[in-house]
Amino acid sequence: TDNAGPTVVNVSLPNGDKVQEGEMVTSALRDVVVSFSEEMLTMGDGTNYYNRLHAVDNVANWTLLRDGVEVTGAIESVTFGMNASQTLAQNTVDENGNPVEEINDGVLANGTNRWEAVVTFAEGYELNDGNYSLVCSAMVQDIARNAIYSQGYAVDGSGAGFDGRDWSLDFSVVRLNQALGFEYGDAF
């Protein structure tokens, strides 16, 4: 029986570079890849209210803060699955349709063997210079319905513990290099 909640394993840029807590990223971003320790609930066909509410691919369960203020509408979509970034990385082209080798030949293009949420920022909300926090709500659950970062059964034995907590990553962007994204390479 699965009683422990999922965790975030790592966060990657489209070129496969990892992003650590408090790190400075030197490229503007259109996408980030958040890897989880296990399979998560998804919205599926959207008819199951419980799944929608707790789905990792429900944009309402994600928040982007810039300099401590929520950026409403910044998250366009979240795509989730095993190796979700792989096809995106393999097919990234620039505005002229040419392959972007830094992404096409990167770690993500080979597959990570991880459950991944590809968080895509809306056009006009690409991450340029600033201090950011990306937050995944404690509402998100794995397929066994354990909340993210929950510790399993309640101490008193009364059932599953819903003691999950939000996950967040604080980082800064100082654009020194080309922008990174799966859709158009460095086109934004």
Side-chain angles (χ1 to χ4, degrees):
T1 304
D2 180 358
N3 296 321
T7 60
V8 171
V9 177
N10 60 51
V11 178
S12 301
L13 303 177
N15 64 2
D17 290 349
K18 303 283 189 277
V19 181
Q20 303 296 326
E21 179 70 26
E23 189 171 345
M24 180 177 63
V25 176
T26 58
S27 298
L29 298 174
R30 178 72 195 270
D31 306 280
V32 294
V33 179
V34 180
S35 298
F36 288 88
S37 59
E38 51 190 296
E39 187 174 4
M40 308 294 286
L41 280 179
T42 61
M43 292 196 302
D45 64 7
T47 59
N48 182 309
Y49 175 76
Y50 187 89
N51 283 10
R52 281 196 326 263
L53 184 64
H54 298 284
V56 70
D57 57 345
N58 180 346
V59 296
N61 286 327
W62 293 84
T63 305
L64 179 70
L65 305 171
R66 181 174 184 197
D67 298 322
V69 178
E70 183 175 349
V71 184
T72 305
I75 298 175
E76 178 177 289
S77 65
V78 179
T79 304
F80 183 79
M82 177 60 75
N83 296 321
S85 66
Q86 185 175 21
T87 301
L88 296 171
Q90 290 171 343
N91 296 313
T92 300
V93 295
D94 64 18
E95 64 274 10
N96 298 315
N98 300 313
V100 179
E101 290 181 23
E102 179 181 13
I103 296 174
N104 300 144
D105 296 336
V107 172
L108 299 179
N110 295 321
T112 61
N113 199 31
R114 294 261 186 219
W115 292 101
E116 297 174 336
V118 178
V119 180
T120 301
F121 303 107
E123 190 171 335
Y125 290 95
E126 296 85 5
L127 306 192
N128 284 299
D129 293 359
N131 297 308
Y132 293 93
S133 295
L134 181 63
V135 180
C136 180
S137 167
M139 292 292 291
V140 169
Q141 297 180 356
D142 64 17
I143 59 171
R145 297 190 173 182
N146 297 306
I148 188 171
Y149 286 100
S150 63
Q151 301 299 310
Y153 282 106
V155 176
D156 65 3
S158 62
F162 292 99
D163 60 342
R165 62 176 171 84
D166 290 350
W167 166 85
S168 67
L169 175 71
D170 298 328
F171 62 99
S172 61
V173 174
V174 176
R175 187 173 179 173
L176 301 175
N177 300 313
Q178 73 176 24
L180 288 174
F182 289 122
E183 189 173 355
Y184 299 116
D186 64 345
F188 58 89

Coordinates of all heavy atoms in Angstrom, one line a residue, residues 93-143:
V93 N 12.7 23.5 -32.5 CA 13.3 24.2 -33.6 C 13.2 25.7 -33.3 O 12.4 26.2 -32.5 CB 12.5 23.9 -34.9 CG1 12.7 22.5 -35.3 CG2 11.1 24.3 -34.8
D94 N 14.1 26.5 -34.0 CA 14.1 27.9 -33.9 C 13.0 28.5 -34.8 O 12.2 27.8 -35.4 CB 15.4 28.5 -34.1 CG 15.9 28.4 -35.5 OD1 15.1 28.1 -36.5 OD2 17.2 28.5 -35.7
E95 N 12.9 29.9 -34.8 CA 11.8 30.5 -35.6 C 12.0 30.2 -37.1 O 11.0 30.4 -37.8 CB 11.8 32.0 -35.3 CG 13.1 32.8 -35.7 CD 14.2 32.8 -34.7 OE1 14.1 32.0 -33.7 OE2 15.2 33.5 -34.9
N96 N 13.1 29.7 -37.5 CA 13.3 29.4 -38.9 C 13.1 27.9 -39.2 O 13.3 27.5 -40.3 CB 14.7 29.8 -39.4 CG 14.9 31.3 -39.3 OD1 14.0 32.1 -39.7 ND2 16.0 31.8 -38.7
G97 N 12.7 27.2 -38.2 CA 12.5 25.7 -38.4 C 13.8 24.9 -38.3 O 13.7 23.7 -38.6
N98 N 14.9 25.5 -37.8 CA 16.1 24.8 -37.7 C 16.2 24.1 -36.3 O 15.8 24.8 -35.3 CB 17.3 25.7 -37.9 CG 17.3 26.3 -39.3 OD1 17.1 25.6 -40.2 ND2 17.5 27.6 -39.3
P99 N 16.7 22.9 -36.2 CA 16.9 22.3 -34.8 C 17.7 23.1 -33.9 O 18.7 23.8 -34.4 CB 17.6 21.0 -35.2 CG 17.3 20.7 -36.6 CD 17.2 22.1 -37.3
V100 N 17.4 23.1 -32.6 CA 18.2 23.8 -31.6 C 19.0 22.8 -30.9 O 18.5 22.1 -30.0 CB 17.3 24.6 -30.6 CG1 18.1 25.3 -29.6 CG2 16.4 25.6 -31.4
E101 N 20.3 22.6 -31.3 CA 21.1 21.5 -30.9 C 21.3 21.5 -29.4 O 21.3 20.4 -28.8 CB 22.5 21.6 -31.5 CG 22.4 21.3 -33.0 CD 23.8 21.4 -33.7 OE1 24.8 21.2 -33.0 OE2 23.8 21.5 -34.9
E102 N 21.3 22.7 -28.7 CA 21.5 22.7 -27.3 C 20.4 21.9 -26.6 O 20.6 21.3 -25.5 CB 21.6 24.1 -26.8 CG 21.7 24.2 -25.3 CD 21.8 25.7 -24.8 OE1 21.4 26.6 -25.5 OE2 22.1 25.9 -23.6
I103 N 19.2 22.0 -27.1 CA 18.0 21.3 -26.6 C 17.8 19.9 -27.2 O 17.6 18.9 -26.5 CB 16.7 22.2 -26.7 CG1 16.9 23.5 -25.9 CG2 15.5 21.4 -26.3 CD1 15.8 24.5 -26.1
N104 N 17.9 19.8 -28.5 CA 17.8 18.6 -29.2 C 18.7 17.5 -28.8 O 18.4 16.3 -28.8 CB 17.9 18.7 -30.7 CG 16.9 19.7 -31.3 OD1 17.2 20.4 -32.3 ND2 15.7 19.7 -30.8
D105 N 19.9 17.9 -28.4 CA 21.0 16.9 -28.0 C 21.2 16.9 -26.5 O 22.1 16.2 -26.0 CB 22.3 17.3 -28.7 CG 22.2 17.2 -30.2 OD1 21.4 16.4 -30.7 OD2 23.0 17.9 -30.9
G106 N 20.3 17.5 -25.8 CA 20.4 17.6 -24.3 C 19.9 16.4 -23.6 O 19.4 15.4 -24.2
V107 N 20.1 16.4 -22.3 CA 19.7 15.2 -21.5 C 18.2 14.9 -21.6 O 17.9 13.7 -21.7 CB 20.0 15.6 -20.0 CG1 19.5 14.5 -19.0 CG2 21.5 15.8 -19.8
L108 N 17.4 15.9 -21.7 CA 15.9 15.6 -21.7 C 15.5 14.9 -23.0 O 14.6 14.1 -23.0 CB 15.2 16.9 -21.6 CG 15.4 17.7 -20.3 CD1 14.5 18.9 -20.2 CD2 15.0 16.8 -19.1
A109 N 16.2 15.2 -24.1 CA 15.9 14.5 -25.4 C 16.1 13.0 -25.4 O 15.5 12.3 -26.1 CB 16.7 15.1 -26.5
N110 N 17.0 12.6 -24.5 CA 17.2 11.1 -24.3 C 16.3 10.5 -23.4 O 16.3 9.2 -23.2 CB 18.7 10.9 -23.8 CG 19.7 11.4 -24.8 OD1 19.5 11.2 -26.0 ND2 20.7 12.0 -24.4
G111 N 15.4 11.2 -22.7 CA 14.5 10.7 -21.7 C 15.2 10.6 -20.3 O 16.4 10.3 -20.2
T112 N 14.4 10.9 -19.3 CA 15.0 10.9 -17.9 C 14.5 9.7 -17.1 O 15.0 9.6 -16.0 CB 14.6 12.2 -17.2 OG1 13.2 12.3 -17.1 CG2 15.1 13.4 -18.0
N113 N 13.5 9.0 -17.6 CA 12.9 7.9 -16.9 C 12.3 8.4 -15.6 O 12.3 7.8 -14.5 CB 13.9 6.8 -16.6 CG 13.2 5.5 -16.2 OD1 12.1 5.2 -16.7 ND2 13.8 4.7 -15.4
R114 N 11.7 9.6 -15.7 CA 11.0 10.3 -14.6 C 9.6 10.7 -15.0 O 9.3 11.0 -16.1 CB 11.8 11.5 -14.1 CG 13.1 11.3 -13.6 CD 13.1 11.3 -12.1 NE 14.4 11.2 -11.5 CZ 14.7 10.5 -10.5 NH1 13.7 9.9 -9.8 NH2 15.9 10.4 -10.0
W115 N 8.8 10.8 -14.0 CA 7.5 11.4 -14.2 C 7.7 12.9 -14.2 O 8.2 13.5 -13.2 CB 6.5 11.0 -13.1 CG 6.1 9.6 -13.1 CD1 6.6 8.5 -12.4 CD2 5.2 9.0 -14.1 NE1 6.1 7.3 -12.8 CE2 5.2 7.6 -13.8 CE3 4.4 9.5 -15.1 CZ2 4.4 6.7 -14.5 CZ3 3.6 8.6 -15.8 CH2 3.6 7.2 -15.5
E116 N 7.3 13.6 -15.3 CA 7.7 15.0 -15.5 C 6.4 15.9 -15.7 O 5.5 15.5 -16.4 CB 8.6 15.2 -16.7 CG 9.9 14.5 -16.5 CD 10.8 14.6 -17.8 OE1 10.2 14.7 -18.9 OE2 12.0 14.5 -17.6
A117 N 6.5 17.1 -15.1 CA 5.5 18.1 -15.4 C 6.2 19.2 -16.1 O 7.2 19.8 -15.6 CB 4.9 18.6 -14.1
V118 N 5.9 19.4 -17.4 CA 6.4 20.5 -18.2 C 5.5 21.7 -18.0 O 4.4 21.7 -18.4 CB 6.6 20.1 -19.7 CG1 7.2 21.3 -20.5 CG2 7.4 18.9 -19.9
V119 N 6.1 22.7 -17.3 CA 5.3 23.9 -17.0 C 5.7 24.9 -18.0 O 6.9 25.3 -18.2 CB 5.7 24.5 -15.6 CG1 4.9 25.7 -15.3 CG2 5.4 23.4 -14.5
T120 N 4.7 25.4 -18.8 CA 4.9 26.3 -19.9 C 4.3 27.7 -19.5 O 3.1 27.7 -19.1 CB 4.2 25.8 -21.2 OG1 4.8 24.5 -21.5 CG2 4.4 26.8 -22.4
F121 N 5.1 28.7 -19.6 CA 4.6 30.0 -19.3 C 4.0 30.7 -20.5 O 4.4 30.5 -21.7 CB 5.8 30.9 -18.8 CG 6.5 30.2 -17.6 CD1 7.7 29.7 -17.7 CD2 5.8 30.2 -16.4 CE1 8.3 29.0 -16.6 CE2 6.4 29.6 -15.3 CZ 7.6 29.0 -15.4
A122 N 2.9 31.4 -20.3 CA 2.1 32.0 -21.4 C 3.0 33.1 -22.2 O 3.9 33.7 -21.6 CB 0.9 32.7 -20.8
E123 N 2.6 33.2 -23.4 CA 3.3 34.2 -24.2 C 3.1 35.6 -23.6 O 2.1 36.0 -23.1 CB 2.6 34.2 -25.6 CG 3.4 35.1 -26.6 CD 2.9 34.9 -28.0 OE1 2.3 33.9 -28.4 OE2 3.1 35.8 -28.8
G124 N 4.2 36.3 -23.5 CA 4.3 37.6 -22.8 C 4.6 37.5 -21.4 O 4.9 38.5 -20.7
Y125 N 4.6 36.2 -20.8 CA 5.0 36.0 -19.4 C 6.3 35.2 -19.3 O 6.5 34.6 -18.2 CB 3.9 35.3 -18.7 CG 2.6 36.1 -18.5 CD1 1.6 36.0 -19.4 CD2 2.5 36.9 -17.4 CE1 0.4 36.7 -19.2 CE2 1.4 37.7 -17.2 CZ 0.3 37.6 -18.1 OH -0.8 38.3 -17.9
E126 N 7.1 35.1 -20.4 CA 8.3 34.4 -20.3 C 9.1 35.0 -19.1 O 9.1 36.2 -18.8 CB 9.1 34.5 -21.6 CG 8.4 33.9 -22.8 CD 7.4 34.8 -23.5 OE1 7.3 36.0 -23.1 OE2 6.7 34.4 -24.4
L127 N 9.9 34.1 -18.5 CA 10.7 34.6 -17.3 C 11.9 35.3 -17.7 O 12.9 34.7 -18.2 CB 11.0 33.4 -16.4 CG 9.9 32.5 -16.0 CD1 10.3 31.6 -14.9 CD2 8.7 33.3 -15.5
N128 N 11.9 36.6 -17.6 CA 13.0 37.5 -17.9 C 13.6 37.9 -16.5 O 13.3 37.3 -15.5 CB 12.6 38.7 -18.7 CG 12.4 38.3 -20.2 OD1 13.4 37.8 -20.8 ND2 11.2 38.4 -20.7
D129 N 14.5 38.9 -16.5 CA 15.1 39.3 -15.3 C 14.2 39.5 -14.1 O 13.1 40.1 -14.2 CB 15.9 40.6 -15.5 CG 17.0 40.5 -16.5 OD1 17.3 39.4 -17.0 OD2 17.7 41.5 -16.8
G130 N 14.5 38.9 -13.0 CA 13.7 39.0 -11.8 C 14.0 37.9 -10.8 O 14.7 36.9 -11.1
N131 N 13.4 38.0 -9.7 CA 13.4 36.9 -8.7 C 12.1 36.2 -8.7 O 11.0 36.8 -8.6 CB 13.7 37.5 -7.3 CG 15.0 38.2 -7.2 OD1 16.0 37.6 -7.6 ND2 15.0 39.4 -6.7
Y132 N 12.1 34.8 -8.8 CA 10.9 34.0 -9.0 C 10.8 33.0 -8.0 O 11.8 32.5 -7.4 CB 10.9 33.4 -10.4 CG 10.9 34.4 -11.5 CD1 12.0 34.8 -12.1 CD2 9.6 34.8 -12.0 CE1 11.9 35.7 -13.2 CE2 9.5 35.7 -13.0 CZ 10.7 36.2 -13.6 OH 10.6 37.1 -14.6
S133 N 9.5 32.6 -7.8 CA 9.2 31.4 -7.0 C 8.2 30.6 -7.8 O 7.1 31.2 -8.2 CB 8.6 31.7 -5.6 OG 9.5 32.4 -4.8
L134 N 8.4 29.4 -8.1 CA 7.5 28.5 -8.7 C 6.9 27.6 -7.6 O 7.7 27.0 -6.9 CB 8.1 27.6 -9.8 CG 7.2 26.7 -10.6 CD1 6.1 27.5 -11.3 CD2 8.0 25.8 -11.5
V135 N 5.6 27.6 -7.5 CA 4.9 26.8 -6.4 C 3.9 25.8 -7.0 O 3.1 26.1 -7.9 CB 4.1 27.8 -5.5 CG1 3.5 27.1 -4.4 CG2 5.1 28.9 -5.0
C136 N 4.0 24.6 -6.5 CA 3.1 23.5 -6.7 C 2.3 23.3 -5.5 O 2.8 23.1 -4.4 CB 3.8 22.3 -7.2 SG 2.6 20.9 -7.5
S137 N 1.0 23.4 -5.5 CA 0.1 23.4 -4.4 C 0.1 22.0 -3.7 O 0.2 21.0 -4.4 CB -1.4 23.7 -4.8 OG -2.3 23.4 -3.8
A138 N -0.2 22.0 -2.4 CA -0.3 20.8 -1.6 C -1.6 20.0 -2.0 O -1.8 18.9 -1.6 CB -0.4 21.1 -0.1
M139 N -2.4 20.6 -2.8 CA -3.6 20.0 -3.4 C -3.2 18.8 -4.3 O -4.0 17.9 -4.5 CB -4.5 20.9 -4.1 CG -5.2 22.0 -3.2 SD -6.4 21.2 -2.1 CE -7.6 20.7 -3.2
V140 N -2.1 18.9 -4.9 CA -1.6 17.9 -5.9 C -1.4 16.6 -5.2 O -0.8 16.5 -4.2 CB -0.4 18.4 -6.6 CG1 0.2 17.3 -7.5 CG2 -0.7 19.6 -7.5
Q141 N -1.9 15.5 -5.9 CA -1.7 14.2 -5.3 C -1.2 13.2 -6.3 O -1.3 13.4 -7.5 CB -3.1 13.7 -4.8 CG -3.7 14.5 -3.7 CD -5.0 14.0 -3.2 OE1 -5.6 13.0 -3.8 NE2 -5.5 14.6 -2.2
D142 N -0.6 12.1 -5.8 CA -0.2 11.0 -6.7 C -1.4 10.1 -7.0 O -2.5 10.4 -6.5 CB 0.9 10.2 -6.0 CG 0.6 9.5 -4.7 OD1 -0.6 9.3 -4.5 OD2 1.5 9.1 -4.0
I143 N -1.2 9.1 -7.8 CA -2.4 8.3 -8.2 C -3.0 7.4 -7.1 O -4.1 7.0 -7.2 CB -2.0 7.3 -9.4 CG1 -0.9 6.4 -9.1 CG2 -1.7 8.2 -10.6 CD1 -0.7 5.3 -10.1

